[in-house]
Amino acid sequence: MKKIGFLSFGHWTASSQSQTRSGADTLLQSIDLAVAAEELGADGAYFRVHHFARQLASPFPLLAAVGAKTSRIEIGTAVIDMRYENPLYMAEDAGAADLIAGGRLQLGISRGSPEQVIDGWRYFGYQPADGQTDADMGRRHAEVFLDLLRGEGFAQPNPQPMFPNPPGLLRLEPHSEGLRERIWWGAGSNATAVWAAKVGMNLQSSTLKNDETGEAFHIQQAAQIRTYRAAWKEAGHAREPRVSVSRSIFALVDDRDRAYFGSERQDEDQIGFIDPRTRAIFGRSYAAEPDVLIEQLKKDEAIAEADTLLLTVPNQLGVAYNAHVIEAILIHVAPALGWR
């Protein structure tokens, strides 16, 4: 395991038991947690993107703010639903945020997940082309976005511009060199993992995937990663790809940890349906004393296959406690998994 970061879903609620009671609370605390995680030595600060929900949504203001407040930690998403995105505007936003961060963005994108509303992308002005699905539309938006990040000119310049133009066709600005290689695809199936490899994206595999074989979640996920790496090699890309997996992991090191997570151990995978046609398998959570946790995680085949582990954090418990959760893993568990 080369890198360990956190992944926040960015929930807020007016409940008196929540420390994030508004969108402002969640955004500002997300920045503070990224700063704290960098100070602790974590490698990444990643944020989920949901629409029509009391969660983090439009990611680029947050990513830019985190980039301005930190200097080392990777900053990313897991994932941006490309069905909602204008690829051209997104390329400008991404380029600006990456330049502010000094080239530390790691953008996870995908076709999206189950939503709070029906076909929410339609409210954003998008609809699939005739004969295509919303998933096809999301992948098409992703392909356009990837092409734009190459930084090649495509737009015919005005012969009488307001300001002088460089020679040739114009590209979107600002352009951030190298960002194209730091785009990840959140794959829910083996087939989309293969597609991501062919087009040259890194792979994000979450805590759920399509149940394609009936085996344990971590075994299916490990097989997905191996399938992806084989497809990457076959595609002939020059660089080595990166692969991340997400897990809910809590080291029980004090009374707070035991009170929050000691009695709610989901030690088995769960089966459900993310839509009427797709049977999915949801990976187990881990909560145990560090020595027990280490032995459990060593048996997780997908963690062994990946180079990056993202720890999902309970953001509504506040910055201080979430920093403690991250620190406990980094100190008591991660070294035994080969981190650094």
Side-chain angles (χ1 to χ4, degrees), residues 35-285:
V35 171
E38 179 172 84
E39 292 173 350
L40 292 170
D43 301 299
Y46 286 73
F47 304 96
R48 191 70 168 89
V49 179
H50 276 292
H51 300 288
F52 299 103
R54 293 183 178 183
Q55 294 176 246
L56 295 171
S58 178
F60 291 106
L62 174 60
L63 298 175
V66 172
K69 287 280 191 177
T70 58
S71 61
R72 179 192 58 80
I73 199 168
E74 292 182 344
I75 308 161
T77 52
V79 290
I80 298 172
D81 187 335
M82 293 303 293
R83 296 174 298 177
Y84 286 78
E85 295 297 325
N86 178 324
L88 285 83
Y89 203 107
M90 183 176 171
E92 291 181 341
D93 279 347
D98 195 43
L99 291 173
I100 290 171
R104 289 181 284 130
L105 247 55
Q106 302 284 343
L107 289 181
I109 64 176
S110 188
R111 56 83 68 191
S113 60
E115 304 176 84
Q116 298 298 107
V117 300
I118 298 171
D119 295 345
W121 31 269
R122 294 188 185 276
Y123 295 98
F124 280 57
Y126 303 112
Q127 62 181 19
D130 290 343
Q132 293 193 331
T133 67
D134 61 307
D136 295 328
M137 179 178 67
R139 286 189 286 271
R140 176 56 186 155
H141 287 183
E143 290 171 337
V144 173
F145 177 62
L146 293 174
D147 284 343
L148 293 168
L149 292 184
R150 299 182 193 279
E152 298 173 358
F154 63 93
Q156 189 69 38
N158 187 339
Q160 296 180 315
M162 182 178 297
F163 307 105
N165 282 323
L169 299 176
L170 301 184
R171 67 185 184 186
L172 293 174
E173 302 288 355
H175 173 70
S176 185
E177 193 69 36
L179 179 57
R180 170 62 179 80
E181 295 187 352
R182 288 179 273 115
I183 307 301
W184 307 58
W185 184 259
S189 68
N190 289 359
T192 52
V194 169
W195 174 78
K198 288 180 178 178
V199 300
M201 284 188 283
N202 301 312
L203 176 67
Q204 284 183 339
S205 197
S206 183
T207 53
L208 69 90
K209 70 177 296 294
N210 294 3
D211 185 11
E212 299 182 74
T213 65
E215 297 172 289
F217 170 78
H218 73 102
I219 293 175
Q220 291 197 50
Q221 191 176 52
Q224 180 193 50
I225 294 170
R226 289 191 290 270
T227 299
Y228 165 81
R229 292 191 187 279
W232 183 278
K233 183 177 181 180
E234 183 178 349
H237 300 302
R239 67 179 179 88
E240 285 297 313
R242 289 183 59 185
V243 176
S244 73
V245 295
S246 302
R247 294 289 186 272
S248 295
I249 304 173
F250 301 97
L252 306 182
V253 299
D254 63 21
D255 290 340
R256 292 176 302 169
D257 302 326
R258 297 181 186 95
Y260 283 135
F261 302 106
S263 61
E264 298 183 6
R265 303 185 186 185
Q266 181 192 318
D267 55 5
E268 294 182 355
D269 300 334
Q270 303 293 315
I271 298 294
F273 286 83
I274 58 175
D275 62 50
R277 301 179 302 277
T278 307
R279 175 184 164 103
I281 184 166
F282 299 77
R284 58 165 295 182
S285 298

